[in-house]
Amino acid sequence: MSLKIYVPRDSAALALGADKVAKAIAGEAAKRGSEITIVRNGSRGMTWLEPMVEVETPAGRVAYGPVKPADVASLFEADFINGNSHSLWLGDPEAIPFFARQQRLTFARCGLTDPLSLEDYEAHGGLSGLRKALELAPIEIVKQVTESGLRGRGGAGFPTGIKWQTVHDAKATNKYIVCNADEGDSGTFADRMIMEGDPFVLIEGMAIAGIATGATKGYIYIRSEYPEAIKIMREAVAIAQRAGLLGWNVLGSPNMFDMEVRVGAGAYVCGEETALLNSLEGKRGVVRAKPPLPAIEGLFGKPTVINNVISLASVPIILDKGAAFYKDFGIGRSRGTMPLQIAGNVKHAGLFEAAFGMTLGEIVNEIGGGTATGRPVKAVQVGGPLGAYFPESLFDTPFDYEAFAAKGGLIGHAGIVVFDDTADMLNQARFAMEFCAIESCGKCTPCRIGSTRGVETIDKIRAGIEPEKNLALVTDLCNTMKFGSLCALGGFTPYPVMSAITHFPEDFAPVPMREAAE
Amino acid sequence: MAMQAGTEAHQRMLDVVEAMKHQDGALLPILHGIQDEFGYVPAESVPVIADALNLSRADVHGVITFYHDYRSAPAGRHVLKICRAEACQAMGGEAMAERAEDLLGIKFHQTAADNSVTLEPTYCLGLCACAPAAQLDGQLIGRLDEERLREIVSEVRL
């Protein structure tokens, strides 16, 4: 058997040159007559070490990184294929402190296996959740998910089991499972990583959702900005269909479930569930008023479970290990684990899956290692473009849905973007309004008009035109947007804007005063 | 490009529509198919699509103009997308975006006079842990810096 060398095919690894590294390894191995097999795995999530190459030795996997194509010859010279020492040697990847501190449930296989090998998937515990689900009555599956305490990982945090229950109880000829893979929030990439690194876990989760609710058709709506995820998910769905995991008889059972991948077209608002449903139907991605809830009248007017990628990908382990096992992780009403995405200006950027409850300070300083630039942290935006900016004085906030809400923020999809002291919070507040203006679907007035007026008013503050009056106007506008918008785009844009104003008032002082203060 | 009925381009349009129109919610897949085929969504395709899906031309036009991805005119030979969202801003992405405009001599949403490149903003490529991020045609780029930007500029001008 030839030696296995793992070179990730995750987008972040590719963006840092993984393809060139894989090519260099293949070329050097051929030159030296070494018999190797290159496996293109997912990423372990330690992005600052990407491309991270792993070799399989009798003593286990040994990692090297970050590897550049120019390092490959010296790696062979140092006999890295036997795990020997080199300046890029990292040892057992799972013993790296960033990795060792995690509790990997949803991402257990990500980076470990070949994403497109169903055999590899099964050998590492894949499909046991679905097999157990097939032995249960649909209502029992729903009960497991409800009892696990799993809440929507896309941002809203709605209990997944309740959605499933509603669709289960609805009477209809057709029902759908829709996976929201329109991960548009800056600072988030967990959906992308699981689709690229362990696509079968999402397929398995959707199949379980279908069997639990009586839905026979699933759609994965992936944003067009994720070409690699689209490619890998499409291949994985085709493999699953050929293997009988999807189709008329899921794993030989009487249950039918099939799915297809659909691609978005660059509209951020389609991450909002009702806009996504309109987009899937071939319409403008305009938000729908609720009620009716998608669980009653969703895709094509039929009862629809619409869940985020991570919610669905967490279902197989819940069914496999039981609701109690999953619920045992976490605190308060935030149960289970959350893949934190640590990004922006941070030394150790990457994906860190952990039980709820760590403080923001631990995440940024201990796990993330502070800023990449070495300057002091000024602000941390949690939850994407619609999340609040937290100052260091709130670093004791535990990572938990309710704790963040109590501090005027939200955890959203758990994207954590770190800024150093060069950040200008007036600029960040202005960008939040500008982004809302660019991406507004236009259906409701507070969002469509309010965002543009917000940009203009913040510009006036910067120009020193009646700053106090205009600051009061922005505050009032935010109030209108928060309570008058149809969806979270207009409704949550006030979070970054108001948190910037509240926690960093010095950045909103008129320009002459700001200069004098410096 | 002449795209009247009977022309080769018109036939290509019909082929794309015909191959995709039978699926549920066919409009977005068809528009992606048309753009893959022609590099943009030609105005001449609107009546063809409307006819096939039994929609009004206004419906089809409304969908095309809603989404950022669909182009009404061909892009340059290369498309450079630079992420302008928060995680990239935190790593000096805005300075990179300005440098790109300077080096290419065009603003965002513009195509160079020699048609070599179109510069576009994007709001998140999911490369937030190796920001600032960019995409040159199909190729993803992490930790974009001045040096890489200069390489890109000479690459697209070849």
Side-chain angles (χ1 to χ4, degrees):
Chain A
M1 204 182 86
S2 78
L3 192 109
K4 274 187 187 161
I5 298 184
Y6 294 83
V7 184
R9 63 177 300 184
D10 176 271
S11 288
L14 296 180
L16 297 170
D19 274 347
K20 283 181 186 148
V21 170
K23 217 172 136 194
I25 291 174
E28 193 68 27
K31 209 162 84 188
R32 290 166 186 265
S34 313
E35 250 194 53
I36 59 154
T37 307
I38 295 178
V39 178
R40 301 305 299 269
N41 57 335
S43 169
R44 300 267 195 174
M46 293 175 279
T47 312
W48 78 98
L49 297 174
E50 294 289 358
M52 188 172 90
V53 174
E54 293 176 41
V55 289
E56 197 163 73
T57 73
R61 304 254 284 246
V62 178
Y64 298 82
V67 178
K68 291 195 187 66
D71 300 320
V72 169
S74 76
L75 280 167
F76 273 92
E77 211 53 55
D79 196 26
F80 87 117
I81 52 176
N82 286 308
N84 286 339
S85 173
H86 183 276
S87 60
L88 298 177
W89 184 89
L90 299 165
D92 176 0
E94 298 187 8
I96 297 171
F98 184 94
F99 195 94
R101 274 189 78 167
Q102 299 184 44
Q103 288 140 322
R104 286 208 163 200
L105 304 184
T106 308
F107 278 78
R109 274 173 303 265
C110 191
L112 187 63
T113 54
D114 176 348
L116 290 173
S117 163
L118 198 50
E119 298 73 46
D120 218 3
Y121 182 68
E122 279 200 77
H124 289 88
L127 298 186
S128 33
L130 177 56
R131 290 213 167 89
K132 286 187 184 160
L134 286 169
E135 287 165 16
L136 297 174
I139 193 66
E140 291 300 317
I141 305 174
V142 175
K143 228 172 105 189
Q144 288 276 316
V145 174
T146 308
E147 281 173 8
S148 75
L150 178 67
R151 292 167 68 176
R153 298 290 190 241
F158 189 83
T160 305
I162 308 276
K163 271 192 192 178
W164 288 26
Q165 180 79 50
T166 311
V167 176
H168 170 275
D169 294 346
K171 302 266 175 287
T173 46
N174 284 321
K175 297 179 186 178
Y176 296 99
I177 306 297
V178 173
C179 171
N180 182 346
D182 194 38
E183 184 181 49
D185 290 352
S186 175
T188 64
F189 44 85
D191 297 352
R192 176 183 67 63
M193 276 186 61
I194 204 81
M195 290 190 286
E196 293 174 358
D198 195 18
F200 293 120
V201 79
L202 176 56
I203 294 172
E204 184 180 349
M206 287 178 71
I208 294 171
I211 290 160
T213 58
T216 50
K217 175 84 195 239
Y219 288 95
I220 309 174
Y221 183 95
I222 309 180
R223 61 201 295 263
S224 61
E225 291 87 343
Y226 282 179
E228 298 299 321
I230 293 165
K231 212 184 312 172
I232 295 173
M233 276 314 313
R234 282 199 164 136
E235 272 183 61
V237 168
I239 292 167
Q241 285 166 336
R242 283 198 298 273
L245 166 55
L246 295 173
W248 290 96
N249 304 94
V250 172
L251 293 179
S253 73
N255 300 83
M256 174 189 170
F257 190 75
D258 208 347
M259 67 174 76
E260 63 180 275
V261 172
R262 286 289 174 94
V263 180
Y268 174 77
V269 76
C270 289
E272 196 284 329
E273 59 181 12
T274 61
L276 189 152
L277 294 175
N278 276 337
S279 186
L280 264 182
E281 291 181 9
K283 299 173 184 157
R284 290 164 67 94
V286 173
V287 173
R288 298 177 184 173
K290 288 190 273 194
L293 294 169
I296 309 283
E297 270 181 52
L299 187 62
F300 304 113
K302 302 292 181 188
T304 302
V305 168
I306 176 160
N307 280 149
N308 167 258
V309 173
I310 301 299
S311 314
L312 288 163
S314 299
V315 165
I317 193 159
I318 292 170
L319 267 292
D320 182 24
K321 302 268 174 77
F325 167 83
Y326 191 79
K327 198 181 180 173
D328 227 25
F329 294 87
I331 56 165
R333 286 174 52 216
S334 303
R335 312 310 308 184
T337 59
M338 188 77 176
L340 307 170
Q341 298 126 85
I342 309 172
N345 195 335
V346 63
K347 201 166 154 202
H348 295 157
L351 182 129
F352 189 97
E353 182 176 351
F356 288 95
M358 290 173 78
T359 68
L360 184 57
E362 277 178 274
I363 295 166
V364 173
N365 291 322
E366 285 178 36
I367 310 294
T371 63
T373 46
R375 301 181 67 100
V377 173
K378 177 166 181 174
V380 181
Q381 188 178 28
V382 182
L386 306 175
Y389 285 100
F390 277 65
E392 220 163 357
S393 58
L394 290 178
F395 270 18
D396 58 346
T397 313
F399 211 83
D400 161 294
Y401 290 101
E402 279 70 36
F404 263 69
K407 298 280 170 73
L410 48 111
I411 65 172
H413 189 46
I416 295 163
V417 178
V418 182
F419 290 78
D420 73 10
D421 62 348
T422 59
D424 177 348
M425 302 313 291
L426 182 142
N427 261 342
Q428 298 309 124
R430 184 191 188 278
F431 176 76
M433 284 290 190
E434 188 190 9
F435 184 70
C436 181
I438 294 170
E439 299 296 343
S440 176
C441 83
K443 179 153 177 163
C444 69
T445 319
C447 173
R448 183 183 69 244
I449 312 255
S451 52
T452 299
R453 294 289 102 87
V455 173
E456 293 164 359
T457 314
I458 292 173
D459 280 343
K460 282 184 192 159
I461 297 169
R462 174 154 51 195
I465 302 166
E466 298 183 278
E468 276 168 35
K469 202 180 127 197
N470 280 313
L471 213 47
L473 204 55
V474 170
T475 308
D476 189 45
L477 175 62
C478 281
N479 201 48
T480 304
M481 288 173 72
K482 187 172 177 179
F483 295 104
S485 299
L486 262 181
C487 83
L489 180 49
F492 287 8
T493 294
Y495 279 98
V497 177
M498 288 313 298
S499 59
I501 293 173
T502 309
H503 301 307
F504 307 93
E506 62 282 4
D507 285 6
F508 292 80
V511 176
M513 272 176 66
R514 288 167 75 185
E515 276 168 359
E518 273 167 10
Chain B
M1 205 186 298
M3 294 185 178
Q4 290 80 20
T7 61
E8 178 264 347
H10 186 84
Q11 188 55 49
R12 274 157 66 202
M13 226 172 255
L14 284 175
D15 289 347
V16 171
V17 173
E18 193 54 41
M20 299 188 177
K21 74 175 188 189
H22 302 289
Q23 54 191 320
D24 290 330
L27 186 48
L28 262 71
I30 287 176
L31 292 173
H32 279 309
I34 294 277
Q35 181 147 307
D36 288 345
E37 181 70 24
F38 294 95
Y40 68 113
V41 181
E44 290 87 341
S45 65
V46 173
V48 177
I49 298 167
D51 188 44
L53 297 183
N54 198 23
L55 295 169
S56 74
R57 278 181 279 173
D59 283 334
V60 177
H61 175 80
V63 170
I64 293 170
T65 51
F66 182 85
Y67 294 96
H68 298 303
D69 279 3
Y70 301 126
R71 303 173 191 287
S72 55
R77 287 195 302 281
H78 298 279
V79 177
L80 176 62
K81 293 186 183 185
I82 296 187
C83 178
R84 310 205 60 180
E86 290 88 343
C88 289
Q89 291 168 10
M91 286 300 280
E94 285 307 279
M96 278 301 126
E98 279 171 32
R99 282 304 285 148
E101 286 185 328
D102 291 346
L103 291 169
L104 294 169
I106 50 173
K107 297 281 175 200
F108 278 89
H109 303 289
Q110 290 181 349
T111 299
D114 63 357
N115 204 37
S116 57
V117 62
T118 300
L119 181 63
E120 290 181 345
T122 180
Y123 294 94
C124 202
L125 296 164
L127 303 174
C128 320
C130 51
Q135 186 177 12
L136 178 63
D137 304 322
Q139 188 199 351
L140 298 168
I141 300 157
R143 295 200 195 105
L144 181 69
D145 56 14
E146 174 97 22
E147 192 190 334
R148 187 76 184 89
L149 203 53
R150 285 183 182 278
E151 281 172 23
I152 291 169
V153 171
S154 40
E155 210 177 310
V156 297
R157 287 202 173 134
L158 280 181

